[in-house]
Amino acid sequence: MPFARTVAVTLAGLALAGLAHAAQPQRGAKDEARAREVIRASFKEKGQAGLDRLEQDEVQAACSRTPGQGPLPAAAAKKLVAAQQATLAYPADGKLMGDWKKGEQIAQSGVGKQFSDDPAKPSGGNCYACHRLSKQEVSFGTLGPSLYQYGKVRGQGEAMQRYTYAKIFNPQAFTACSTMPRFGHHAILTEEQIKDLVALLLDPASPVNQ
Amino acid sequence: MTRRSIGPALLLAAAALAPAAHRAQEEDATAAIARYRELLQDGNPADLWEARGEALWQEKRGPKAASLEGCDLGKGPGVVKGAYAELPRYFADGDRVMDLETRLVHCMGTLQGIDAAEATKQKFGAGDKRSDLEALAAWIVAQSRGLPVRVALAHPKEKAAYALGERIFFYRGGPHDFSCATCHAQSGKRIRLQELPNLTTPADAKRAFATWPAYRVSQGEVRTMQWRMNDCLRQQRFPELVFGSEGSVALITYLARQANGAGMDAPAIKR
């Protein structure tokens, strides 16, 4: 259950969201409770997507601020990043680089976790939805930065491998309220798949580094 | 899979046009999409939905064998012209804010005696299984063509719906941590080659809202705002948004108000 841990942290999330409303505690708390009630009542379980997906963990609660609420204060952002750092888990076998060819397939695939998807099939990373990666693929999105020549520019050493693995595993451990999914932390991708993506980004033979 | 089906022909066209330079590649891709959109404007099959919708509006149906011609869409019973441009709005007879589709379901119940489960059984069309709601929406929306979006937020419940809609727009959840804002709160961004409107800015919000409902070429159906919300949230990896739910109407109220002043130009045609 990718969301088993969510329940435990929901209370923490609520507390954090409460802090955001410190200036007007009464109204804020009431609005918050009412909003959550309506959101729960406005969805129904379908396929693999249960109502548990609406329960926010501390990151989701802290990063749901409206323009009127302004960005997350720096101190809260720092705490959030530190807490997410603690979630990082690296492969037990110590190997961080997989197969870039498999990584390319994972980067191309946008399936997974939608109520219309078959939960028995592996999820993709859908990296191209938001990032430029290889020169050949012209259908790439721009919500994230270009990762073309990622490894060529940064090198392929062990520190770089660890950073890249961790960044895919949980980007919130580096950037508070990043828009990128926490692929490892939320078990969207397996350890093996993340290794393949690390190879796609770092392997000198990968199209990303041509 | 809608994200991946941007249009194979389009991608090929973009690829064929692309020279080596990255910048030129991007510009050519954008130009190819613009050309594709231009070609689409030539004829809009939504006309067929509009014609069926008008007939459905006038037809005596349901246990009460009544037409919908007495339905009050907010500007008085039977007034269709300009009604959509002022929705969602508060309706005293239901003591809640309703969008077009919620209101239609309400009128089908009160005037025709068709219960909500029956009225929404085919809320979205699928090939031979046609949706009466999509047809009715297509016709009613067309009667607001050229008129400005005017969502007043005069009633306290309209104000509350807007505030709630904004909350939902920024509400992150699910395995991917997505909210509507993840994709729709920055300007000039794309998913793959699909340009994303920044729905927090008036210009993009107007362009987006004024062109829904739309005939979707990739689906062969006229799709409404309820469908648009439903399918966005599917891709957000959320559970299913309940058709006509308070949250769905709140979200549409937020988006409509963001687009206030836009000239309605729907049903449009989209890829």
Side-chain angles (χ1 to χ4, degrees), chain B residues 103 144 201:
Chain B
R103 188 61 186 169
S144 282
T201 65

Side-chain angles (χ1 to χ4, degrees), chain A residues 3 21 31-32 34-36 38-39 41-46 49-51 53-56 60 63-67 107-108 110-116 126 128-129 132 135 137-143 172 177-183 186 188, chain B residues 1 3-4 6 11 14-15 18 20 22 25-26 29 123 163-164 166-168 170-179 181-184 186 188-193 196 200 230 233-243 245-248 254:
Chain A
F3 274 80
H21 291 282
D31 286 355
E32 184 71 26
R34 162 97 180 112
R36 282 173 192 280
V38 176
I39 289 168
S42 296
F43 288 88
K44 62 181 177 202
E45 181 180 325
K46 185 166 183 180
L51 292 179
R53 291 189 177 188
L54 301 172
E55 302 300 325
Q56 294 181 310
Q60 293 169 339
C63 300
S64 294
R65 299 165 67 91
T66 62
Q108 289 280 3
V111 300
K113 305 285 185 194
Q114 298 170 124
F115 59 63
S116 49
N126 211 13
Y128 280 106
R132 183 180 191 223
K135 199 156 95 177
E137 180 54 89
V138 297
S139 176
F140 58 85
T142 55
L143 278 165
Q172 303 286 349
C177 300
S178 165
T179 49
M180 181 168 152
R182 290 172 281 177
F183 288 103
H186 275 173
I188 300 164
Chain B
M1 287 298 287
R3 255 183 213 177
R4 292 300 330 269
I6 283 165
L11 300 189
H22 166 47
Q25 253 181 8
E26 276 205 58
K123 53 188 189 282
L164 177 66
E166 186 185 40
R167 290 294 308 272
I168 298 173
F170 289 95
Y171 190 92
R172 295 183 72 169
H176 285 58
D177 300 332
F178 289 156
S179 68
T182 304
C183 291
H184 294 293
Q186 298 179 72
K189 301 291 186 185
R190 308 185 319 235
I191 281 183
R192 291 275 181 169
L193 294 177
L196 299 163
T200 67
N230 179 290
L233 283 149
R234 176 182 68 83
Q235 294 173 79
Q236 262 173 252
R237 275 75 177 175
F238 274 46
E240 187 179 29
L241 184 64
V242 176
F243 190 88
S245 59
E246 187 177 352
S248 72
Y254 170 71

Side-chain angles (χ1 to χ4, degrees), chain B residues 44 49 130:
Chain B
N44 188 347
W49 272 254
R130 299 189 301 179

Side-chain angles (χ1 to χ4, degrees), chain B residues 70-221:
Chain B
C71 179
D72 182 354
L73 296 172
K75 295 172 75 74
V79 180
V80 178
K81 190 166 178 61
Y84 184 75
E86 295 175 27
L87 289 170
R89 72 195 299 161
Y90 174 79
F91 287 90
D93 57 9
D95 189 30
R96 61 169 291 202
V97 177
M98 300 187 202
D99 65 339
L100 174 60
E101 289 137 285
T102 315
R103 188 61 186 169
L104 281 171
V105 172
H106 175 91
C107 283
M108 286 175 172
T110 54
L111 299 175
Q112 300 179 314
I114 300 169
D115 70 31
E118 179 64 25
T120 58
K121 205 169 74 185
Q122 201 65 51
K123 53 188 189 282
F124 307 135
D128 290 342
K129 293 181 193 152
R130 299 189 301 179
S131 164
D132 291 347
L133 284 168
E134 284 173 342
L136 283 162
W139 179 65
I140 291 163
V141 172
Q143 311 316 307
S144 282
R145 204 179 278 280
L147 297 171
V149 174
R150 253 197 336 241
V151 173
L153 301 191
H155 193 278
K157 289 206 172 176
E158 293 172 353
K159 288 192 182 78
Y162 175 88
L164 177 66
E166 186 185 40
R167 290 294 308 272
I168 298 173
F169 187 85
F170 289 95
Y171 190 92
R172 295 183 72 169
H176 285 58
D177 300 332
F178 289 156
S179 68
C180 307
T182 304
C183 291
H184 294 293
Q186 298 179 72
S187 295
K189 301 291 186 185
R190 308 185 319 235
I191 281 183
R192 291 275 181 169
L193 294 177
Q194 176 70 52
E195 285 160 17
L196 299 163
N198 177 355
L199 299 173
T200 67
T201 65
D204 280 13
K206 284 178 181 178
R207 204 161 31 239
F209 190 83
T211 53
W212 281 98
Y215 177 79
R216 289 294 301 270
V217 176
S218 53
Q219 310 206 4
E221 299 280 358

